[in-house]
Amino acid sequence: MSAEKVALITGSLAETRLTRLADELRGETLDPVVLNVGVKVAALMTAEIVERRLTLPESVVRAVMPGRFRGDLDRLQAHFGVPFERGPEELADLPGFFGRGGLEPDLSRHDCLIFAEIVDATVLSTADIVARATSLKADGADVIDLGCMPDTPFGHLEEAIAALKAEGFAVSVDSANPEELARATRAGASYLLSLNETTLAIADEGEAVPILVPSTPGDLPSLIRAVDAMEATGRPYFADPVLDPIHFGFTASVVRYAELRRLRPEAPILMGIGNLTELTDADTTGINAILMGMISELAITAVLAVQVSPHCRTAVREFDRARREFFAAREAGSLPQGFGGGLMALRDRRPVASSAADVAALAAQIRDRNYRIEVSEAGVHIFNRDGLRTAVDPFDHYPHLAVEGDPGHAFYLGVETARAEIAFRLGKRYAQDEGLRFGVAGETAESIEQAHKMASFKEAGSTLADKRGRKAPGEPDS
């Protein structure tokens, strides 16, 4: 089988480095050819420029444009007769791009429901409950769980259930009070948290699916008996052995989940994650990744998430991303690496896009006064036609920047050098004019579909510009 000849389209500034990368990528299956369309900065290319200046060798079967190219790929494909696609935004990511065949992971699928608990529903108005539910659904929740509080009457429980159902929400009710659970199922709740072998009769008072728990903490045999009782009726259920906090039975509780799966291979299982995320002073992205690994291996099909503590405020969003990434990895028979990195909040797997030598080589080609900022293993680099300086602290850069009498430009460079310092110190990827990426923990999106779309094409990043879209004074063109 002959190697696939792929055209890598670029501009003058990146040509040398791209050529070196292409030589490294060339092998039995891939034969990349670098084509310079004659512009200085590849991101400034337009479809019209490419049509006029580019000539593809006859043997090329597809063409890869820079990730920041904003032209019409369909137009180029129609003009040249071969597929055009956007590559990664950074040249350093090109090997990974071709390692996955240039395809982004499909994060549209999962097999795990998310129950999101409103822990203080008892003291909220019905309107506030619906508003909170709407926000949780936007973060990825499938079921809205109404948390009942001990010794606090929930007089409007039925009203809240009806209001949520009218808005299209699936509703569960979480209470230690059997009377509240009975009211909930009679009012049309979809799920009840939680029943045990002594309270199973409540399930007969309505259609709600019970989540079963041990009669006493850690009593797995009692949970098995409850599971067997529900199996005998043929009605649906979930079983939850209950995840305990660290230093209060955590390891033993993990073993219970594995043991339940061994004893009942087909049983639907739910895991409540709040005892770990809420009660541990650690970033929840990493905790949720580990929990999702257990959930994926044990075929657990539902989780109960809470986000009460401020450090847990994106727990639902994180778990939504985790269930999608891990599902895609499992389907691919792969480790959970290279599936979007949505849980990489504080670190990036490849934080540096350019080496100090790469930056120096690029700086030597610059002939204009606009400042470029890059981060390498050596620190934060700022360069223009007047030279290259390397430091980390923005205050070390400031005395050498020609921004006297230009407060707008000074502000812009202050923002960018501060971002670059944060990226350097944390080990995150920095790109000028773009906000730092903190994974799904720092994302906002209009819809779940948008949040998980892995397209690299996006609008220009933040710059100091007014509402009419003018560039900041001295803002770089690249």
Side-chain angles (χ1 to χ4, degrees), residues 393-404 410:
D393 192 326
F395 288 99
D396 292 334
H397 281 294
Y398 180 75
H400 307 287
L401 301 177
V403 291
E404 296 83 358

Side-chain angles (χ1 to χ4, degrees), residues 69-90:
F69 172 71
R70 289 175 169 80
D72 187 339
L73 296 178
D74 292 335
R75 170 179 169 175
L76 294 177
Q77 179 169 327
H79 180 83
F80 290 97
V82 299
F84 272 68
E85 57 192 311
R86 285 187 182 84
E89 296 188 356
E90 303 291 349

Side-chain angles (χ1 to χ4, degrees), residues 285 314 317-318 321 325 340-348 428 436-444 451:
T285 48
T314 57
R317 191 188 310 166
E318 292 165 19
R321 184 57 173 255
E325 289 192 13
L343 300 181
M344 300 284 284
L346 294 183
R347 301 283 189 274
D348 284 332
K428 296 198 67 62
L436 297 181
R437 299 179 182 181
F438 294 96
V440 73
E443 290 178 2
T444 57

Side-chain angles (χ1 to χ4, degrees), residues 270-320:
L270 176 145
M271 176 185 285
I273 65 173
N275 279 344
L276 202 59
T277 54
E278 293 281 339
L279 303 180
T280 306
D281 280 350
D283 293 319
T284 53
T285 48
I287 293 175
N288 284 334
I290 295 298
L291 290 176
M292 192 65 230
M294 293 168 46
I295 288 166
S296 185
E297 289 192 352
L298 294 175
I300 293 173
T301 53
V303 298
L304 172 65
V306 295
Q307 37 190 57
V308 178
S309 301
H311 79 289
C312 296
R313 64 180 180 271
T314 57
V316 172
R317 191 188 310 166
E318 292 165 19
F319 229 99
D320 179 46

